[in-house]
Amino acid sequence: MSTSSPVCAAILSVSESFYSTRRLLEAGRGLGLDMRRIDPIRVLVHAGPGGPALTDDGQRVPVPEVVVPRVGSRLTEWSLAMLTALVDAGARCVVPAHAIRLAGDKLAATQRLAAAGLPTLPTVAVREQAHIPYALEAVGGPPVVLKLIRGTQGTLVMTATDTAGALSTLGALVGLGHTVLVQRRVMMDRPRDLRVLMAGGEPLAACWRLAADGEFRANVHRGAAAAPATLTPELADLAARAAAAIGLPVCGVDLLPTDDGWVVLEVNGSPGLEGIERATGRDLATDVLRSMI
């Protein structure tokens, strides 16, 4: 009697030492999958008459049946080129490369969320020195949060508590050629947001992310604590609508409570699992992987 071979799935990630990569590999093996990792740093992308292909040290990389992207900000475009090549060569991926790219562009993602009728923080993008005072005025003045277009885990995000500081920081960033997003800062005794992990387009789990002392960014990689949270139907619906607007069935949606109600802060195309697994005590990697195969 013949037996079918296990599904071959590959994680697109630069290191197995990353918590989320390691957990997804473990989860896949636990599900009986043939799990592999493709390292974007080692691989060349070939485009030509023979069709897309990847090689590692001159050897062709076999095309997996399923590819699970873990795309960080440092190698975003390179990793997405590999993802596109693998999909064009026949691999399945429920997370479209164009949606990951959209989520990673804070301006484009905010525009898409707002166009979909979802509540977001008032945001102004500025790239000219002469427009800086108007940008600050448009969001109600300091305190403000300043963000560059791309960045994950709280990188490239700053705060300015007074006008002089905001003008100085914005002037320096714009002077270096950056486009900067200006948002009114939501003041809290302890900065926090609600991370909702989505799988299959539906909320899988949620946790509070509580900023470390002296920190305004509630990112686990910046020392934030994670605590379990229960989603109300309204928040579950808001997270699902945000994921759908960006086109990511698997993602992390960050929601922020404000005096005017909840807003969608960000949608993350490669959500980390460490904080939310530890906060909930659940094996979420297995559920995420199931939704991708």
Side-chain angles (χ1 to χ4, degrees), residues 35 64-65 97 130 162 261 293:
M35 294 299 299
E65 294 173 76
D162 56 44
I293 59 174

Side-chain angles (χ1 to χ4, degrees), residues 41-260:
I41 294 176
R42 293 182 55 87
V43 174
L44 294 178
V45 179
H46 300 258
L54 306 182
T55 59
D56 183 341
D57 283 343
Q59 301 298 310
R60 195 175 182 112
V61 176
V63 178
E65 294 173 76
V66 176
V67 60
V68 179
R70 297 294 306 171
V71 178
S73 60
R74 185 166 65 93
L75 292 172
T76 298
E77 290 305 321
W78 185 243
S79 296
L80 292 179
M82 292 185 185
L83 175 59
T84 300
L86 288 168
V87 170
D88 287 347
R92 302 194 310 272
C93 183
V94 302
V95 183
H98 67 84
I100 298 174
R101 183 177 289 109
L102 173 60
D105 184 325
K106 296 182 189 299
L107 176 56
T110 299
Q111 290 175 312
R112 180 67 59 85
L113 292 167
L118 295 165
T120 60
L121 290 174
T123 302
V124 177
V126 59
R127 64 178 302 276
E128 300 292 339
Q129 295 280 357
H131 297 161
I132 290 174
Y134 302 105
L136 291 173
E137 181 182 358
V139 299
V144 292
V145 173
L146 310 175
K147 302 177 180 179
L148 300 192
I149 296 295
R150 291 193 176 275
T152 61
Q153 301 174 355
T155 61
L156 308 180
V157 179
M158 296 141 278
T159 186
T161 58
D162 56 44
T163 300
L167 290 172
S168 175
T169 303
L170 273 170
L173 292 172
V174 170
L176 290 170
H178 294 296
T179 297
V180 186
L181 303 189
V182 183
Q183 295 177 331
R184 177 79 176 182
R185 180 174 170 182
V186 177
M187 301 303 294
M188 302 178 182
D189 291 337
R190 184 177 183 183
R192 67 189 186 279
D193 62 29
L194 185 69
R195 163 59 63 93
V196 183
L197 180 63
M198 306 293 296
E202 298 294 332
L204 178 60
C207 71
W208 285 105
R209 301 190 304 176
L210 309 165
D213 290 343
E215 178 61 74
F216 73 96
R217 292 162 291 191
N219 298 89
V220 171
H221 285 84
R222 295 192 172 275
T230 301
L231 285 178
T232 64
E234 292 77 15
L235 291 179
D237 178 68
L238 180 58
R241 290 167 57 206
I246 302 299
L248 288 171
V250 176
C251 62
V253 178
D254 297 336
L255 305 177
L256 185 70
T258 76
D259 291 341
D260 299 318

